[in-house]
Structures are given as structure tokens and as C-alpha cells.
């Protein structure tokens, strides 16, 4: 948008020249001021403008041009001052954008356009769009100005994920460009066609038209990438390569295209072939291409499932971003702050260069995937200060808290059985040797006590607040869906990380009319189905956290809401029944719990229906990773219907135990043990077996079960897929309910 700024200044000065009713002297002064401005002689331009203002003190356009000349004289570093000056001029005219209702008001269009440009660079996209759309209604008479307004609006639509609107405007721009080209060519064929000056002007005009066409092709590629329309994108990529060659912008766009197609190696190769060293830099273009380069590599490696390598590249991107901010000065670290101070000292075009919060978001998601929830929590907590209206981001923070508080032991993390799950300690020797079994209290995580739950620490109490925020940010009546992307301006776009699996709809490229979006920055906006998937994930996590905090009524409420969702994945349905059963047992409603624990309730344990949501990354400037294609189910989660039904049976046995129906409980244990491998039977199930044998007066068999860490030694279980000992929340934000044994004849244990 830097070039837009200079265009706007030129137009304004020309406006003084062409205004009717001015004398020849005023016209000459205006022309001299305009030429001096274009030559970079800002002091001389200001002198001419001062002289012009003495002759015509009532023309606000002269004051506006003086403000813009002062702005360029400062190196475009006084954005806040220019914004205040334009606002003052607008107030003096006693008019607002909403009041523009006729062509008479179009004379003030340059003032409004300048305001829109400043809003754009200050990331106030809604305000800029409202001004731009109003101006768009009066573009016909002003061809050059129309092009500037259209390009500004296209950029804004892409930054706010409205690719359909961007494509419509690009079609209008193409017509304007063709029309302007034909008219200029017609004039050029006149009497002076042999004149050298005319030939030079014609060549310059042709070059300008070609540059505009190249820019339009790049915008189209960005729009098709956001829409996931790969066929249309492929056609436009060819046009971009033909018009721009192997420039950094074209190679970044082609890399993003290959990334979406799943050709990750080719995407990396294209990025590596781009000569980013020749890029002018953020002070001139407002883009840190080196930062985009490392970010996009991180996105691609995330999609390949190489999370540690992806994290390495994101950290490199953060370093580049910090170096850029250091060059720009303290103002570059902003995103929030006092208006006057924050936008002073750095060029206006560089205000969009800082991508710190998008990169922190990407780092946080990567850290969550590699099992470092506390480090992820720190990154996401910093990002949420800027992107506090993103339901996905609040869900990710809750996942960090859940993972950090799951009380994982080594054997639990690796999915390995161990007597440590049952035996807490052995006291004495020989005849006096005693075995101390783990109690209910020692198996639960100890949460923060005596401090406010609102303090941002990775506790389950704070997870409950995060999940409540996430639910409140979702629309009441389903609206929206999406997935993060990456790309910034023309120079890049490569992908965006998210943990979930809503990619299926997004990648199909089918955008239905009337399918509204809700923003979820720094990720792409959410479409209707993604909102529903996200709601299911949040409800599952909410039920899990409520159980951990002992709020059984709230847990039951969340679990029942989850089970009533229209499009519910098999995995979340399984969790919903488990969570509801545990809450009901704690509320002493055993019969209702038994209905939920019926193994026939489990018919599918797949993670998707378009399962959760994608996350990580951010598209705003080319920053965002995409859904991991190599995503695996955590080891603690049942990998088949039979192992999930075994989990239900173990818990059903606990429920029967609480009603003193020991024979039914024993049958459940026998049946469950025959469905899973002996080594995969969880410690809680073994404790249940011990309890049943003690109730039966079979002390010796109970001791044998403990010593061998084997449930019902007389039963030979068949080998079958994984049932890990404690199902835990898996990364796509869908927690799993732990199986349990009765503790003091009361309840099924929870995590």
C-alpha cells in the first residue's frame, strides 16, 4: 500500500490544478507544488502551497496537501498526526462518509480515500472497508482514482477473508484497465504519434498497465487460495509466472499453492529458490520477506507432521520479526498502545510489518503438538492479548491447561502398563511386608488453591474460564467455518496450523452462497460446519474440566449438550457418554449412568466428521500453518470400536459394583478382559478386580492379581488393538474419559 500513498498525494495536488474557477496564477502555483512534490523537494512544494493558500484561504484541499507534504517530508513517520489532521478537515466540512449521496460529494473523495489508507495501515480494516465501499459507488468519472480505490478494497477483502468480493472487484478492475488502455492507445495514434515524448509516455503507460495486470493476477491467486479453488488457482498461477517470472511474490504464491495440494517437498523447493535477499525490505514495502520465508517453512513442516522442525523454523521467523521491529523502533512492537505514540517514528507502510502475535500463535500450536503444554501456554497467553475474540485460541489455551494437569506418569505418556498405577509403595520385609495401594486422592491432580481462578496460570480452574469464553464467542445459531491460511500481501501465503480436522470442507473449495463467516483471527474465519465442530470440541473439554473440578452438575449439562449436537463425531460421542456416566455416578444416579455405559452406544471412534477445527497460524500476513496430514491419535485413546467398548465395560463394572451387583460387575470385567491385550488393561480395572475378589472372600486371588498386575488370571484375553490405560484429552481438543474403579464404594474415578 506504500505506492497507494504516493498516488493519493499526486491526485490531491492535481485536484488543485483541475478545479474550476481558479486563476492562472493559482494554477501555476499548484502545478509547481505538484511537480516539486513528485521530485521529492518537499520544502519547495510547501513554499508553493503556502503562497497558494494566501490567495485562497478557504480551500481545504490546500491544507490537506500541506499535511500530506509534511507527512512525506517526515519520511511517512507521522501517521498519527496526519490522521488527526484529516479528521479535523472532515469535521470542518460537517460531513460523514454515510452522508455521501451524490456526485457533488465526490470532490471530497480524496480526503475519504486518505483516511481509508491510514485505517488500513493501522489495521482498522472495518473502518477502511466502510469508507472504500462508499467511494466505490462514485468511481466512474475517475479512472486512475478508481484503480487506487479498487486495489485498496481488494487488499482489505483478502485481509478480512472475503475472497468472493475481492474477485468481483478484480473483474471490475480488469474492465477499467482494458477501457483505459484502449482510450490511451486511441489518443496515441493522433497527430503527434511520431513525437518522441509521446512514444515515451506511451511506453510508460504500457508498463503501468502490465504492472497492474500482474498485480491483479497475484491478487486472484491469493483469493483462490483462500477459497481452496485449486483448479482456478492453477490457471492463475501460470499467468503470475508469465507476468512476474521467478520473483519472490510469484514463487511464494506458487509454493502456497503446492502446499495446499499436499506437495510439501515441492513447496519447500520453491521457497528455497526464491531470492529473498533482493527484496527491498520492510522499511520500503512494509513486508519482512525473511520472516514470511521461515514462517512458511514452519507451516509446511507442521503439515508434514515434523513438529520439532516446524517449531525451529517458527523461532527463526520470530527472530527475524524481532530484528525488523528493532530496525523500525519501539513503535514497531505495537499492536496496541496510545494512538499518537504508537504510530510515530516509523514509516506508515511498515506499520503492518510486525507479525509477532501470529508467530507466537503458530509456536504455541506447535508446542502443544509436541507435548510441551506449559511453553505453549506462555506463547498463546501473549497472543490472546491481541486476538481475544478468537474461540479457537481460547480452546487451545484450555487444551494447554488440560494437558499440563493430566497428572501424566512416564508409563501413561508412553502408553505402557506398570504396577506404579496400582502400587504406591511397599513397606517392610518378609512376613511383615505391606503393599500400599494408590488412593483416590493421590491419583487426582492437585490444583491451585487459595488464588483466583482468573489468574492466567495453566490450571484447570483457568481452563474452565477459557472454555466459557470460547463458548460465549460462538454464535447462537450456527454460522460459519474455516481454516487458517498463510500469506501476506503478494509476497507469500503458505499455510496455517491448526489442531483439528475441519480441513475436508475447506479444501473442497465449495463456498456456498449465504454461508456467513465469523472472524477467528489469527486463523481463517469459521464457516457453519466448523462452528458446530468447534462447539462439540469445546463442550467435550468443558465436561472433562468440570469433572476434574468436581462440578458434576455442570459436567452433566455439558455432556448432554454434546450428545444432542446434530453432527457429532464418533470419538466425541464416546466421550460424551463416558463423561455423562461419571457425572451421574457422582450424583448417585447409577441407573441413568448404566444406560450411558451400554457398549452398544459405541459404534464409531473416528476423530472426524470434519472433526474439530484447524488452527495455528494466521493469515494476516502470510503467517499460518495448516492442518497436519500426518496427525495420529494419542496412544491413550482407544483406536478401535472393540477397545472403546472394553473401556465402557470396565466403567460399567464399576457402576454395577456401586449397586452391589458383583456378579454383573464380574461378567463385565471378564468380557472386557477378553477384548483387549492383557498388558493393556488399565490399573483401575485391575483394582476393580481386586475389590471384587475381596468381596467374594478370595484374598489369595486378590493378592495374585496385584502381584502379577494381571486381571483375572484364569481368563486368557485375546490380542486386540490398543486400549490405553487412561484416556486423555487428545490434541484436537477432544478429551477422553478415564475408566475407573469404585473408591470407597462411591464413584468412578476421573482424571
Amino acid at each position: 500500500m506504500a505506492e497507494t500513498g504516493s498516488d493519493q498525494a499526486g491526485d490531491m495536488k492535481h485536484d488543485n490544478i483541475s478545479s474550476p474557477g481558479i486563476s492562472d496564477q493559482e494554477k501555476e502555483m499548484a502545478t509547481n507544488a505538484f511537480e516539486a512534490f513528485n521530485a521529492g523537494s518537499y520544502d519547495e512544494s510547501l513554499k508553493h502551497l503556502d503562497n497558494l493558500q494566501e490567495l485562497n484561504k478557504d480551500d481545504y484541499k490546500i491544507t490537506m496537501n500541506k499535511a500530506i507534504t509534511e507527512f512525506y517530508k517526515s519520511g511517512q513517520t507521522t501517521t498519527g498526526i496526519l490522521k488527526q489532521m484529516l479528521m479535523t478537515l472532515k469535521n470542518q466540512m460537517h460531513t460523514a462518509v454515510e452522508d455521501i449521496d451524490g456526485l457533488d460529494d465526490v470532490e471530497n473523495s480524496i480526503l475519504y480515500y486518505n483516511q481509508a489508507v491510514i485505517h488500513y495501515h493501522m489495521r482498522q480494516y472495518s473502518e477502511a472497508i466502510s469508507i472504500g465501499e462508499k467511494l466505490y459507488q462514485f468511481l466512474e468519472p475517475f479512472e486512475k482514482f478508481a484503480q487506487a480505490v479498487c486495489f485498496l478494497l481488494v487488499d482489505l477483502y483478502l485481509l478480512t477473508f472475503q475472497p468472493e468480493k475481492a474477485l468481483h472487484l478484480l473483474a471490475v478492475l480488469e474492465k477499467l484497465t482494458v477501457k483505459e488502455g484502449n482510450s490511451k492507445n486511441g489518443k496515441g495514434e493522433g497527430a503527434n504519434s511520431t513525437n518522441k515524448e509521446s512514444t515515451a509516455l506511451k511506453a510508460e503507460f504500457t508498463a503501468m498497465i502490465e504492472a497492474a495486470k500482474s498485480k491483479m493476477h497475484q491478487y486472484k491467486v491469493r483469493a483462490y487460495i483462500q477459497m481452496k479453488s485449486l483448479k482456478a488457482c492453477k490457471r492463475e498461477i501460470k499467468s503470475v509466472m508469465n507476468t512476474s517470472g521467478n520473483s519472490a511474490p510469484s514463487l511464494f504464491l506458487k509454493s502456497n499453492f503446492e502446499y495446499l495440494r499436499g506437495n510439501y517437498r515441492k513447496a519447500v523447493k520453491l521457497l528455497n529458490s526464491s531470492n529473498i535477499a533482493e527484496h527491498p525490505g520492510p522499511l520500503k514495502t512494509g513486508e519482512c520477506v525473511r520472516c514470511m520465508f521461515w514462517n512458511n517453512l514452519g507451516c509446511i513442516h507442521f503439515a508434514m507432521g515434523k513438529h520439532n522442525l516446524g517449531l525451529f523454523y517458527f523461532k527463526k521467523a520470530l527472530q527475524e520479526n524481532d530484528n525488523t521491529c528493532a530496525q523500525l523502533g519501539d513503535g514497531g512492537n505495537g499492536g496496541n498502545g496510545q494512538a499518537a505514540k504508537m504510530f510515530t517514528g516509523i514509516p506508515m507502510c511498515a506499520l503492518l510489518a510486525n507479525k509477532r502475535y501470529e508467530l507466537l500463535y503458530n509456536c504455541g500450536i506447535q508446542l502443544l503438538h509436541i507435548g510441551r503444554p506449559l511453553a505453549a501456554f506462555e506463547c498463546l497467553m501473549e497472543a490472546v492479548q491481541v486476538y481475544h475474540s478468537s474461540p479457537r485460541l481460547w480452546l487451545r489455551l484450555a487444551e494447554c491447561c488440560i494437558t499440563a494437569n493430566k497428572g501424566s506418569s512416564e508409563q501413561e505418556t508412553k502408553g505402557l502398563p506398570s504396577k506404579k498405577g496400582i502400587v504406591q509403595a511397599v513397606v517392610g520385609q518378609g512376613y511383615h511386608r505391606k503393599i500400599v495401594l494408590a488412593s483416590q486422592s493421590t491419583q487426582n491432580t492437585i490444583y491451585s488453591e487459595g488464588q483466583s481462578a482468573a489468574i492466567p496460570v495453566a490450571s484447570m480452574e483457568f481452563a474452565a474460564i477459557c472454555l466459557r469464553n470460547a463458548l460465549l464467542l460462538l454464535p447462537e445459531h450456527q454460522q460459519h467455518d474455516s481454516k487458517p491460511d498463510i500469506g501476506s500481501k503478494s509476497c507469500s501465503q503458505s499455510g496455517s496450523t491448526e489442531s483439528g480436522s475441519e480441513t475436508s470442507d475447506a479444501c473442497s473449495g465449495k463456498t456456498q452462497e449465504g454461508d456467513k463467516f465469523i472472524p477467528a483471527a489469527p486463523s481463517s474465519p469459521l464457516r457453519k460446519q466448523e462452528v458446530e465442530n468447534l462447539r462439540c470440541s469445546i463442550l467435550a473439554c468443558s465436561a472433562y474440566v468440570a469433572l476434574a473440578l468436581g462440578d458434576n452438575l455442570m459436567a452433566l449439562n455439558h455432556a448432554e449438550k454434546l450428545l444432542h449436537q446434530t453432527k457429532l463425531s464418533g470419538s466425541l460421542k464416546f466421550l460424551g457418554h463416558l463423561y455423562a456416566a461419571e457425572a451421574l455416578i457422582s450424583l448417585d444416579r447409577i441407573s441413568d449412568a448404566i444406560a450411558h455405559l451400554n457398549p452398544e452406544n459405541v459404534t464409531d471412534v473416528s476423530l472426524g466428521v470434519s472433526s474439530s477445527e484447524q488452527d495455528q497460524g494466521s493469515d494476516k500476513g502470510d503467517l499460518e500453518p495448516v492442518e497436519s496430514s500426518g496427525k495420529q491419535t494419542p496412544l491413550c485413546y482407544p483406536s478401535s470400536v472393540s477397545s472403546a467398548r472394553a473401556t465402557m465395560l470396565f466403567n460399567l463394572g464399576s457402576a454395577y459394583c456401586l449397586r452391589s451387583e458383583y456378579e454383573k460387575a464380574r461378567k463385565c470385567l471378564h468380557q472386557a478382559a477378553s477384548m483387549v491385550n492383557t498388558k493393556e488393561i488399565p490399573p483401575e480395572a485391575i483394582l476393580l478386580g481386586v475389590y471384587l475378589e475381596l468381596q467374594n472372600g478370595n484374598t489369595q486371588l486378590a493378592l495374585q492379581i496385584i502381584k502379577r498386575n494381571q486381571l483375572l488370571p484364569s481368563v486368557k484375553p485375546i490380542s486386540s488393538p490398543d486400549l490405553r490405560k487412561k484416556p486423555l484429552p487428545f490434541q484436537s481438543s477432544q478429551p477422553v474419559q478415564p475408566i475407573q474403579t469404585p473408591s470407597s464404594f462411591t464413584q468412578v474415578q476421573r482424571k
Side-chain angles (χ1 to χ4, degrees), residues 11-206:
D11 284 340
M12 284 185 284
K13 296 197 174 289
H14 188 272
D15 199 30
N16 281 336
I17 300 170
S18 58
S19 295
I22 65 172
S23 66
D24 291 342
Q25 183 184 6
E26 290 174 325
K27 195 170 184 179
E28 184 181 355
M29 286 181 182
T31 302
N32 292 336
F34 180 64
E35 289 174 352
F37 177 87
N38 282 341
S41 303
Y42 302 122
D43 288 327
E44 185 182 345
S45 181
L46 283 170
K47 287 179 184 177
H48 290 301
L49 287 171
D50 286 335
N51 294 333
L52 186 60
Q53 195 165 39
E54 288 179 8
L55 297 175
N56 192 349
K57 294 182 179 179
D58 297 330
D59 193 346
Y60 81 92
K61 295 176 187 175
I62 299 173
T63 306
M64 179 173 61
N65 285 341
K66 283 179 66 177
I68 290 175
T69 307
E70 292 281 4
F71 175 66
Y72 275 88
K73 183 181 175 182
S74 71
Q76 301 184 43
T77 57
T78 55
T79 309
I81 296 172
L82 178 61
K83 182 184 179 185
Q84 290 172 2
M85 175 62 75
L86 295 177
M87 184 62 69
T88 303
L89 290 173
K90 191 191 80 167
N91 292 337
Q92 285 175 359
M93 293 187 298
H94 302 290
T95 183
V97 178
E98 296 75 19
D99 300 329
I100 302 178
D101 55 7
L103 289 176
D104 292 340
D105 297 309
V106 176
E107 287 191 15
N108 305 322
S109 59
I110 297 292
L111 172 61
Y112 295 121
Y113 172 73
N114 289 339
Q115 284 187 307
V117 170
I118 292 175
H119 283 309
Y120 166 88
H121 286 289
M122 296 171 80
R123 305 187 193 221
Q124 297 165 350
Y125 301 131
S126 299
E127 292 87 341
I129 288 174
S130 66
I131 294 173
E133 287 180 342
K134 204 71 178 177
L135 290 175
Y136 177 72
Q137 301 173 27
F138 307 103
L139 291 180
E140 288 295 333
F142 309 97
E143 291 175 356
K144 185 179 177 184
F145 180 58
Q147 190 181 83
V149 172
C150 285
F151 273 133
L152 175 61
L153 270 176
V154 167
D155 228 330
L156 287 164
Y157 285 143
L158 290 176
L159 286 170
T160 53
F161 297 95
Q162 301 180 68
E164 292 86 358
K165 287 186 177 181
L167 287 171
H168 171 74
L169 267 186
L170 287 169
V172 173
L173 265 173
E174 279 184 328
K175 290 178 183 177
L176 281 173
T177 305
V178 171
K179 182 180 175 182
E180 190 174 352
N182 292 337
S183 64
K184 293 282 183 180
N185 286 335
K187 289 177 185 176
E189 290 167 2
N192 295 329
S193 58
T194 57
N195 188 297
K196 289 183 180 179
E197 231 177 90
S198 177
T199 305
L201 285 172
K202 189 174 178 181
E204 185 182 343
F205 176 76
T206 305

Side-chain angles (χ1 to χ4, degrees), residues 530-571:
E530 285 175 327
V531 167
E532 297 317 303
N533 294 335
L534 187 58
R535 193 191 309 278
C536 292
S537 295
I538 294 170
L539 287 171
C541 276
S542 298
Y544 177 84
V545 170
L547 285 171
L549 295 174
D551 193 346
N552 299 306
L553 279 173
M554 186 58 72
L556 180 60
N557 179 268
H558 288 311
E560 287 179 342
K561 279 185 181 177
L562 175 63
L563 292 171
H564 282 92
Q565 297 300 306
T566 51
K567 291 188 178 180
L568 187 62
S569 66
S571 58

Side-chain angles (χ1 to χ4, degrees), residues 7 86 115 126 256 270 282 291 299 324 339 368 388 396 417 433 471 512 518 565 721:
D7 282 347
L86 295 177
Q115 284 187 307
S126 299
N256 197 353
L270 286 165
C291 176
C299 293
T324 300
L368 196 52
H388 46 265
R396 298 299 168 234
R433 190 165 72 102
L471 271 178
Q512 294 151 0
I518 59 167
Q565 297 300 306

Side-chain angles (χ1 to χ4, degrees), residues 267-563:
V268 171
K269 188 176 179 181
L270 286 165
L271 280 178
N272 288 329
S273 65
S274 60
N275 193 352
I276 59 177
E278 293 181 357
H279 195 266
L283 287 171
K284 291 187 177 180
T285 64
E287 295 173 339
C288 179
V289 178
R290 295 183 67 84
C291 176
M292 296 177 198
F293 173 79
W294 294 117
N295 173 78
N296 290 359
L297 280 178
C299 293
I300 293 168
H301 285 87
F302 173 85
M304 295 168 72
K306 299 179 179 179
H307 301 302
N308 283 292
L309 195 52
L311 180 61
F312 168 78
Y313 288 127
F314 284 136
K315 286 183 176 178
K316 293 278 285 183
L318 266 173
Q319 289 173 4
E320 288 292 343
N321 189 75
D322 291 343
N323 292 339
T324 300
C325 289
Q327 292 175 26
L328 299 176
D330 291 340
N333 291 325
N336 26 7
Q338 292 116 359
K341 294 181 181 177
M342 169 184 164
F343 299 109
T344 302
I346 60 173
M348 182 176 72
C349 69
L351 291 175
L352 291 172
N354 183 21
K355 304 296 178 186
R356 175 174 178 78
Y357 299 104
E358 293 95 323
L359 289 168
L360 283 170
Y361 181 67
N362 284 355
C363 283
I365 301 302
Q366 286 282 32
L367 287 164
L368 196 52
H369 274 272
I370 60 179
R372 294 174 58 188
L374 294 177
F377 183 82
E378 295 299 321
C379 290
L380 296 180
M381 271 309 301
E382 194 167 346
V384 84
Q385 296 175 46
V386 174
Y387 299 112
H388 46 265
S389 60
S390 170
R392 281 194 187 118
L393 183 45
W394 286 109
L395 173 60
R396 298 299 168 234
L397 278 167
E399 288 179 344
C400 291
C401 298
I402 290 170
T403 308
N405 285 278
K406 67 184 182 183
S408 62
S409 57
E410 186 178 352
Q411 82 273 8
E412 191 171 35
T413 304
K414 296 181 179 179
L416 301 174
S418 170
K419 290 185 183 180
K420 290 179 183 176
I422 305 171
V423 180
Q424 186 178 23
V426 177
V427 180
Q429 293 181 349
Y431 182 78
H432 299 286
R433 190 165 72 102
K434 306 278 185 191
I435 296 173
V436 181
L437 300 182
S439 68
Q440 176 85 14
S441 59
T442 58
Q443 290 177 357
N444 284 337
T445 308
I446 298 174
Y447 304 107
S448 54
E449 294 179 4
Q451 70 180 42
S452 170
I455 294 176
V457 294
S459 65
M460 295 298 266
E461 292 87 348
F462 188 70
I465 293 175
C466 293
L467 292 166
R468 193 153 54 244
N469 289 346
L471 271 178
L472 288 172
L473 287 166
L474 289 178
E476 284 289 331
H477 303 291
Q478 314 137 316
Q479 322 167 335
H480 322 334
D481 148 74
S482 106
K483 147 186 184 171
D485 212 305
I486 64 174
S488 148
K489 304 281 262 164
S490 55
C491 266
S492 153
Q493 279 195 312
S494 157
S496 132
T497 309
E498 288 215 68
S499 60
S501 46
E502 38 185 81
T503 338
S504 54
D505 286 347
C507 285
S508 66
K510 297 175 184 173
T511 311
Q512 294 151 0
E513 264 185 88
D515 194 11
K516 297 181 181 178
F517 298 82
I518 59 167
S523 305
S524 303
L526 293 161
R527 292 177 187 154
K528 180 178 178 181
Q529 185 53 49
E530 285 175 327
V531 167
E532 297 317 303
N533 294 335
L534 187 58
R535 193 191 309 278
C536 292
S537 295
I538 294 170
L539 287 171
C541 276
S542 298
Y544 177 84
V545 170
L547 285 171
L549 295 174
D551 193 346
N552 299 306
L553 279 173
M554 186 58 72
L556 180 60
N557 179 268
H558 288 311
E560 287 179 342
K561 279 185 181 177
L562 175 63
L563 292 171

Side-chain angles (χ1 to χ4, degrees), residues 252-264:
F252 270 62
L253 288 170
K254 191 171 182 181
S255 173
N256 197 353
F257 170 67
E258 296 296 342
Y259 164 82
L260 288 179
R261 294 175 72 189
N263 297 335
Y264 303 125

